[in-house]
Amino acid sequence: MQIFKVGGAVRDRLLGKPVTDIDWVVVGATTEEMLAQGYRPVGADFPVFLHPKSGAEYALARTERKSGRGYGGFTFHASPEVTLEEDLIRRDLTINAMAEDDQQNLTDPYHGQRDLEARVLRHVSPAFAEDPLRVLRVARFAARYADLGFTVAPETLDLMRQLSESGELEALTAERSWKEISRALMEDQPQVFIQVLRDCGALKVLMPEVDALFGVPQPEIHHPEIDSGIHTLSVLEQSARHKQPLTVRWACLLHDLGKGLTPEEEWPRHIAHEHKGLKLIKVVNERFKAPKDCQELALLVGQYHTHGHRALELKASTLLELLQSFDVYRRPQRFEEFIAACEMDARGRKGLEDRSYPQADYLRGAASVARGVAVQPLLEKGFKGPELGEALKRERLKALKAYKENA
Ligand code: ATP
Ligand code: MG
């Protein structure tokens, strides 16, 4: 049997990027031989094994054929006769379809190295169209390598467009889609992911609520970029520039969905878009089964981001309601993430990327004042149950009024 490094490890070494996980392909072996050497099978009927010591993934060379809709509709064929070239042709991009042996001899039948040098993301063969997930993968790689100048080959974008129009994207499971989306959002240029999905018509299918923001104007005085979709991309870009966690990035992407619902005659104003957007945020959250913390933050940011911007003008009672809604007493981290998302929203505007955001410290200060109200004296006064809650609120309100006056 022969063993080769494949996929990302080869690509990233040639790009001079750090290699984290290595995928291996084994040519000329049977399942029995792998087991005899101590490899552990990952699934009952999938030809992938874990190395007895390192735990790295070793896959038997295989061919794949589509046999129905969705990912379940794949049949594969692994046998000692399957060649390295046959295994590589089933892969998504030419830059992901190179292999190398332990002497670093490159096998590159589909010219991945040429495309690496030309900075092109190009599909390997027409079989690309057999797995719609590849549309998201290409958009994710475009986001990851945007800084290096990579773009999607026109013919690959055409295929992605055909896949988007064919209805195949709808067959993707929430789990597979979310995995790609969440990884793409964590790249350095996540806005490129959304842009590429939009360019090939996939955004309209996957997240029509986000797609609807493009072409919707906002008041120029607050939004020099005018377009709501462009604004959303910029907010996402800022969230990556400021190394925000996934929760914040997800909330940034969805914060303005309500603007897509504004009747044209009300443009460029978007009255109550915060509230109107909530049902859309919920739908997108559920479509991808986003993790609970992402879902929760997206809804809170959707509802309250303009409160964040107007923090210094809010009445003490409104400020208190905001703090209560976030349960800042038990969930301090979540409130920090809300503040971060508001700040990204303020900066994701043309020419305002480096503006200061005094609201952030003001909100932090308010939270700490409210948290600083002690319960003990109220207990000593004999307050109990709901009355204790009310008394605590009154004390917090008093403290916030004082905070506001001294700010
Ligand atoms: P990363 O650095 O994100 O891990 P990677 O290229 O190693 O990038 P993996 O998801 O680990 O990506 O997959 C390893 C290899 O398997 C890819 O390089 C590609 O050749 C192939 N591959 C993975 N998923 C698909 C897919 N859906 N369709 C075609 N080929 C795929
Ligand atoms: Mg990998």
Side-chain angles (χ1 to χ4, degrees):
M1 67 170 83
Q2 284 176 295
I3 298 183
F4 300 89
K5 253 185 219 176
V6 281
V10 181
R11 176 195 71 222
D12 287 337
R13 184 184 70 74
L14 291 170
L15 281 173
K17 291 251 172 190
V19 171
T20 43
D21 79 322
I22 303 182
D23 300 294
W24 304 87
V25 67
V26 183
V27 178
T30 61
T31 295
E32 292 67 34
E33 284 168 313
M34 296 298 283
L35 297 176
Q37 295 201 15
Y39 287 89
R40 299 187 306 268
V42 290
D45 45 28
F46 206 61
V48 179
F49 302 83
L50 301 178
H51 190 274
K53 291 214 184 73
S54 71
E57 279 197 8
Y58 286 70
L60 294 185
R62 65 176 188 265
T63 57
E64 282 177 347
R65 231 168 358 94
K66 192 171 174 59
S67 56
R69 268 175 89 88
Y71 197 59
F74 258 96
T75 49
F76 60 84
H77 167 72
S79 86
E81 285 78 46
V82 174
T83 65
L84 184 57
E85 285 74 8
E86 284 170 334
D87 178 276
L88 293 174
I89 204 169
R90 71 173 169 84
R91 294 170 186 268
D92 48 5
L93 294 171
T94 60
I95 64 165
N96 290 343
M98 297 181 277
E100 99 192 348
D101 64 15
D102 55 4
Q103 308 293 312
Q104 290 195 349
N105 293 312
L106 203 62
T107 302
D108 181 18
Y110 311 109
H111 309 294
Q113 206 174 14
R114 193 170 70 194
D115 285 336
L116 267 188
E117 276 155 25
R119 305 297 197 228
V120 174
L121 302 171
R122 191 194 314 278
H123 64 283
V124 175
S125 84
F128 179 92
E130 294 183 355
D131 179 9
L133 190 76
R134 292 169 189 160
V135 172
L136 282 90
R137 282 178 60 89
V138 174
R140 173 164 70 81
F141 283 112
R144 182 187 297 180
Y145 297 127
D147 285 337
L148 296 176
F150 274 84
T151 55
V152 182
E155 61 272 28
T156 302
L157 204 62
D158 281 344
L159 260 182
M160 290 161 73
R161 192 172 298 116
Q162 285 168 33
L163 266 166
S164 305
E165 285 164 5
S166 71
E168 280 284 314
L169 280 177
E170 280 123 280
L172 287 173
T173 63
E175 289 75 14
R176 289 187 88 209
S177 301
W178 177 255
K179 195 166 160 231
E180 289 303 322
I181 292 167
S182 57
R183 291 181 74 186
L185 290 179
M186 291 313 290
E187 297 292 352
D188 284 346
Q189 307 279 351
Q191 77 285 2
V192 173
F193 174 71
I194 302 295
Q195 183 66 55
V196 169
L197 291 180
R198 180 167 141 77
D199 291 344
C200 69
L203 192 62
K204 206 165 43 207
V205 180
L206 295 168
M207 299 186 204
E209 302 82 358
V210 176
D211 196 64
L213 295 174
F214 290 86
V216 174
Q218 310 162 98
E220 191 170 359
I221 174 162
H222 299 300
H223 286 281
E225 73 288 348
I226 299 177
D227 190 283
S228 307
I230 302 294
H231 165 59
T232 293
L233 294 181
S234 304
V235 177
L236 200 51
E237 181 177 359
Q238 290 302 316
S239 76
R241 179 175 165 226
H242 292 277
K243 309 271 179 248
Q244 298 297 346
L246 179 62
T247 45
V248 174
R249 297 183 190 204
W250 181 242
C252 284
L253 178 63
L254 305 186
H255 79 284
D256 263 349
L257 293 189
K259 289 181 178 169
L261 294 176
T262 310
E264 256 183 75
E265 54 277 16
E266 290 177 22
W267 288 356
R269 298 188 65 204
H270 299 281
I271 303 149
H273 73 276
E274 304 86 347
H275 183 73
K276 288 185 204 155
L278 292 179
K279 59 176 186 287
L280 299 185
I281 297 174
K282 191 158 177 282
V283 166
V284 180
N285 271 338
E286 285 168 5
R287 180 177 310 136
F288 298 110
K289 298 192 183 143
K292 190 159 171 274
D293 55 350
C294 288
Q295 296 209 14
E296 217 175 68
L297 191 72
L299 286 165
L300 285 165
V301 169
Q303 185 164 7
Y304 293 115
H305 60 278
T306 35
H307 274 58
H309 302 328
R310 291 189 292 111
L312 283 96
E313 294 101 65
L314 295 180
K315 290 188 296 186
S317 57
T318 314
L319 202 49
L320 179 62
E321 278 167 34
L322 180 71
L323 299 173
Q324 302 280 102
S325 306
F326 276 86
D327 191 7
V328 295
Y329 318 102
R330 281 178 297 184
R331 304 284 303 272
Q333 183 57 32
R334 186 173 65 178
F335 193 58
E336 273 303 320
E337 292 179 359
F338 163 72
I339 294 173
C342 292
E343 193 167 340
M344 299 307 107
D345 178 22
R347 293 201 173 137
R349 305 174 191 214
K350 195 170 152 213
L352 299 171
E353 293 82 358
D354 295 311
R355 81 204 293 194
S356 64
Y357 196 69
Q359 291 92 327
D361 275 340
Y362 183 79
L363 287 168
R364 278 184 198 112
S368 102
V369 160
R371 258 184 232 120
V373 172
V375 190
Q376 196 55 34
L378 298 174
L379 287 171
E380 281 163 17
K381 281 188 193 157
F383 285 110
K384 281 199 287 277
E387 273 137 46
L388 177 64
E390 285 308 312
L392 200 51
K393 250 174 136 169
R394 278 197 303 277
E395 291 304 314
R396 284 170 177 160
L397 187 59
K398 229 192 278 173
L400 284 172
K401 280 185 176 150
Y403 174 71
K404 215 177 134 54
E405 272 160 31
N406 297 324

